[in-house]
Amino acid sequence: MAFAFEKLVVYQKAVDFADAVCHETEAFPRGYGFLRDQLNRAALSIAANIAEGNGRFTTRDRRNFFGIARGSVQECVPLLELANRRQLLSRETHAQFKSDLEEISRMLSGLINGLPGRVHLPSYCPDLPGSAIAFTVW
């Protein structure tokens, strides 16, 4: 792997998801090209924005691209729902894709929250007597 982002598990899962979507949408019948194209673009956009964000130098830019990737995850949800309602995907495939998206979304949130400059609020801090909440800026 030549690029650092290729080592990210979330990137690998996003590429696997895009590949699986591409495979499943090949079977969409004539007349559903709009849905196939939009779903493939949204699925690929997840991995593409992770890669692009990782290539940026500022935390703000990285956070922005990782946020766009998370938005693309959300974009896939109604597209998959329509494909499911039109019986273009099996129930099992739809459920697996939704599960994949939920996992990718959680991982992207973790990636975003792990960036420097983010305010983290723990629920309890024993170092501050009488205080239920303390915060640190990383």
Side-chain angles (χ1 to χ4, degrees):
M1 292 187 189
F3 296 97
F5 64 83
E6 292 178 294
K7 296 176 186 174
L8 294 172
V9 175
V10 66
Y11 169 80
Q12 294 168 8
K13 287 185 180 291
V15 171
D16 290 344
F17 176 75
D19 186 47
V21 166
C22 187
H23 175 75
E24 287 296 325
T25 59
E26 285 176 351
F28 281 16
R30 189 178 180 123
Y32 288 98
F34 69 96
L35 184 57
R36 177 183 54 242
D37 293 345
Q38 188 66 27
L39 185 51
N40 279 307
R41 279 194 300 272
L44 182 56
S45 179
I46 300 167
N49 279 291
I50 294 169
E52 188 167 358
N54 202 63
R56 297 300 174 134
F57 292 105
T58 68
T59 299
R60 182 177 178 187
D61 281 347
R62 293 169 74 98
R63 184 175 286 118
N64 181 52
F65 279 97
F66 296 157
I68 292 169
R70 193 169 53 186
S72 294
V73 167
Q74 304 300 315
E75 181 182 359
C76 288
V77 174
L79 299 169
L80 289 171
E81 181 60 28
L82 181 57
N84 184 53
R85 289 182 183 192
R86 291 281 156 192
Q87 300 176 352
L88 301 173
L89 297 173
S90 69
R91 287 183 182 172
E92 295 79 19
T93 299
H94 178 256
Q96 182 61 55
F97 282 168
K98 290 263 308 235
S99 176
D100 293 344
L101 288 172
E102 289 169 0
E103 182 179 20
I104 291 168
S105 182
R106 282 191 304 273
M107 294 175 85
L108 282 167
S109 292
L111 190 60
I112 292 166
N113 288 336
L115 291 171
R118 175 86 176 161
V119 175
H120 295 269
L121 296 171
S123 59
Y124 171 72
C125 184
D127 296 336
L128 294 175
S131 175
I133 294 181
F135 68 92
T136 58
V137 177
W138 293 349

